[in-house]
Amino acid sequence: MQTVDFDKLYEMALGVAKPRTLSPHTEVGAVGAALLTDSGAIYLGANIDTACSMGFCAEHAAAAAMVTAGENHIVAVIAVNHSGAVVPPCGRCRQFLAQLGPENSKAQVMVAKDKVMTLEELLPFDWREA
């Protein structure tokens, strides 16, 4: 398993976790994410919350930036709220990231301070293997 500098990823994710209001019905930045790919690139994203639930998580934003840049092999990911707490990915994010590339099940995910798991461990009964 590749060694990952989660301290660096943490700082980068925290750097985009800056809550702000875009409109009376949309807030962003309560959570920031940093996603490391096998090329060594790091992609960042912030969550978007809308009043009618059409927003998305910070991990989705980071993954969209990654795919836009032509990559899909995730090595590591971390999400951090604006207070600095590590936030494990929700079930939707876990499944989304895993489906972006066949090797992504081995991606390292920081789920709590000093606790790292793979996407495979977070999705133990993958429906694609049924």
Side-chain angles (χ1 to χ4, degrees), residues 5 9 23 39 41 47 63 67 69 80 87 108-109 113 120 126-127:
D5 184 352
L9 294 178
S23 75
S39 74
N47 73 307
V67 171
V80 180
V87 180
Q108 299 174 61
V109 183
K113 183 176 169 54
E120 186 172 53
D126 193 330
W127 61 271

Side-chain angles (χ1 to χ4, degrees), residues 9 33-37 41-44 59 62-63 66 73-78 97 100:
L9 294 178
L35 189 152
L36 172 68
T37 64
I42 298 172
Y43 298 94
L44 304 175
E59 296 93 335
M66 171 189 70
H73 183 172
I74 302 166
V75 171
V77 64
I78 185 173
L97 297 175
L100 293 178

Side-chain angles (χ1 to χ4, degrees), residues 46-69:
N47 73 307
I48 299 175
D49 286 327
T50 62
C52 60
S53 302
M54 289 190 334
F56 49 83
C57 298
E59 296 93 335
H60 275 73
M66 171 189 70
V67 171
T68 299

